[in-house]
Amino acid sequence: GNYAQMLGVNDSEAFKEVTRLYLMLHADHEGGNVSAHTSHLVGSALSDPYYAWAAGLCGLAGPLHGLANQECLAWLVEVQQELGGKEPTKEFIVDYVERTMKAGKVVPGFGHAVLRQPDPRYMLEREFALKHTKDDPLFKLVDCCYQAIPPTLEKTGKVKNPFP
């Protein structure tokens, strides 16, 4: 809560809670991801610590690591635009995902390279959203995707982990 307060956005408990969740989830990478590994590798050469930090930040620019969040959000916004203000349905999402895959594209946010079950960080975010923003249009879309996409990806037989 202290960091959230130092940001000076507001003093609400809800803001403190979402800031705590956001920072915890993004810090929970333990050192096995691209940016942490790159920082460690560059630092192991006794490089300037700022070079090691900068190298780690550069690792975040890839679509399979830090840019993945933006790729997911861009895809969701694209789906929202195609929905044209209508409520998402499982049928619509399944059709959209099938068209996405037929076009040779991936569905961002599903099929983690390492995990073989839903990402626990996603499950914490989901729990938070169900408690605080269940009626938000974007969360309704995400929830519909969570219900519709894994079975669609499993049907292909190509995805080891169809979950977010």
Side-chain angles (χ1 to χ4, degrees):
N2 188 39
Y3 180 72
Q5 187 173 346
M6 288 190 299
L7 289 174
V9 175
N10 66 49
D11 289 332
S12 76
E13 285 302 312
F15 182 72
K16 290 177 183 177
E17 188 176 347
V18 75
T19 302
R20 187 179 306 113
L21 175 69
Y22 178 84
L23 293 173
M24 179 194 68
L25 294 177
H26 281 69
D28 180 39
H29 274 85
E30 299 175 0
N33 63 32
V34 172
S35 57
H37 175 74
T38 303
S39 295
H40 292 155
L41 183 65
V42 173
S44 72
L46 302 180
S47 297
D48 184 291
Y50 292 104
Y51 294 157
W53 179 73
L57 289 180
C58 289
L60 285 170
L64 298 181
H65 188 36
L67 191 61
N69 290 337
Q70 287 115 316
E71 296 287 332
C72 291
L73 188 55
W75 188 83
L76 289 167
V77 168
E78 183 181 300
V79 174
Q80 268 188 328
Q81 288 172 346
E82 185 154 327
L83 278 165
K86 294 183 222 159
E87 289 280 322
T89 64
K90 286 184 185 179
E91 295 77 18
F92 175 86
I93 298 299
V94 167
D95 179 63
Y96 194 87
V97 167
E98 288 174 348
R99 286 186 283 133
T100 298
M101 292 188 302
K102 282 180 186 165
K105 298 176 185 175
V106 299
V107 179
F110 288 82
H112 195 281
V114 177
L115 300 174
R116 295 296 173 253
Q117 59 188 10
D119 188 327
R121 294 166 296 174
Y122 169 76
M123 298 309 290
L124 287 171
E125 291 172 338
R126 178 176 173 72
E127 182 182 320
F128 182 89
L130 284 168
K131 181 178 176 184
H132 297 286
T133 63
K134 66 182 176 191
D135 294 325
D136 179 78
L138 186 59
F139 177 70
K140 285 181 177 182
L141 174 58
V142 169
D143 185 48
C144 192
C145 288
Y146 177 71
Q147 295 174 43
I149 293 175
T152 306
L153 294 178
E154 281 179 327
K155 282 193 311 189
T156 69
K158 298 178 184 178
V159 179
K160 293 179 183 176
N161 170 27
F163 303 104

